[in-house]
Amino acid sequence: MGRKMTISVQGDLVDIIEPLRSRGHRVITNHEVSKDTSVFILSNVDEDWEEIKSLEWMDFGNNQYILTINASKIATDEILDVIDRLASKDIEIIEKPARVKISVEESLVELRELLKSNGYEVISSYKVDPDVSAIIFSGVDEIWETIDTYQMREYGDAKYVLTMNASNMTSEEILKTLNRLYGEQS
């Protein structure tokens, strides 16, 4: 069911590895991240990783943002739920011609037009609903102050939503990341 992803998982997370494989995902356990990797799951957090949140989009070089999950801060069933939600996005697109819905701050006119011209359904930032796959904003206020580039966040009825800070990325970088996660919409 859903899109099959390449997921890098720390080898000791056996209770996550087998369920991911049974869902048809390609699971690698050598701690490597390739251009095909969509998710990186770790549990033994050392000083290099101690600041990582439970779910966080991280840049692994060349603006390749990968959902990084800290299994020491989030339960296995919640991790599997996040993976299932990411994987199911493309299935919905294939089964019905619905486009991926993105909530974009109104002031980001150029980005809104770029996403529309690439097939995304763009809605106003104040109209977030459970079908929204990503929220894109610029600037920082008390609600969004911890988001530098990307992060999965709980938001209303939509449990985990990709939340992106356009202040620190170009429109093309945002489009590339969305296309990698949700498939090209055009």
Side-chain angles (χ1 to χ4, degrees):
M1 297 279 235
R3 175 172 61 108
K4 304 307 176 210
M5 298 183 289
T6 298
I7 303 171
S8 178
V9 181
Q10 193 166 315
D12 65 332
L13 296 170
V14 179
D15 55 337
I16 294 173
I17 293 170
E18 290 311 314
L20 290 174
R21 284 187 174 144
S22 71
R23 287 166 165 80
H25 299 295
R26 180 175 172 250
V27 177
I28 54 176
T29 59
N30 59 5
H31 249 350
E32 294 203 10
V33 173
S34 70
K35 64 180 174 78
D36 299 324
T37 304
S38 298
V39 180
F40 180 57
I41 305 172
L42 67 142
S43 67
N44 291 337
V45 179
D46 59 17
E47 62 274 354
D48 294 333
W49 292 90
E50 66 188 355
E51 297 297 319
I52 188 172
K53 298 169 181 66
S54 55
L55 298 164
E56 188 170 339
W57 290 94
M58 296 185 72
D59 185 353
F60 279 77
N62 299 322
N63 290 314
Q64 180 187 7
Y65 288 88
I66 296 172
L67 177 60
T68 305
I69 301 175
N70 182 347
S72 67
K73 292 186 177 181
I74 184 171
T76 300
D77 58 335
E78 292 176 302
I79 292 171
L80 295 172
D81 181 54
V82 169
I83 301 292
D84 290 344
R85 289 174 61 101
L86 274 177
S88 71
K89 294 297 182 183
D90 280 350
I91 251 333
E92 293 172 11
I93 295 165
I94 293 167
E95 290 177 353
K96 52 185 180 181
R99 297 178 295 163
V100 173
K101 190 185 288 188
I102 310 292
S103 173
V104 182
E105 184 178 301
E106 290 77 10
S107 66
L108 299 171
V109 177
E110 177 187 318
L111 176 61
R112 291 172 66 85
E113 291 307 313
L114 178 66
L115 294 176
K116 285 179 188 176
S117 69
N118 280 275
Y120 288 94
E121 180 180 350
V122 175
I123 65 169
S124 298
S125 59
Y126 59 86
K127 293 184 178 180
V128 176
D129 63 48
D131 296 327
V132 168
S133 296
I135 299 169
I136 304 172
F137 66 95
S138 67
V140 176
D141 61 23
E142 64 278 355
I143 297 171
W144 306 109
E145 66 186 351
T146 61
I147 301 173
D148 186 36
T149 52
Y150 298 89
Q151 191 176 98
M152 288 298 261
R153 279 185 75 115
E154 290 186 49
Y155 192 88
D157 295 332
K159 188 166 184 181
Y160 293 106
V161 176
L162 171 61
T163 309
M164 307 171 80
N165 186 343
S167 299
N168 299 323
M169 314 188 69
T170 66
S171 296
E172 290 73 24
E173 289 170 339
I174 291 170
L175 176 63
K176 182 180 175 183
T177 299
L178 291 171
N179 285 345
R180 196 170 119 283
L181 291 171
Y182 301 117
E184 298 205 22
Q185 300 294 294
S186 304

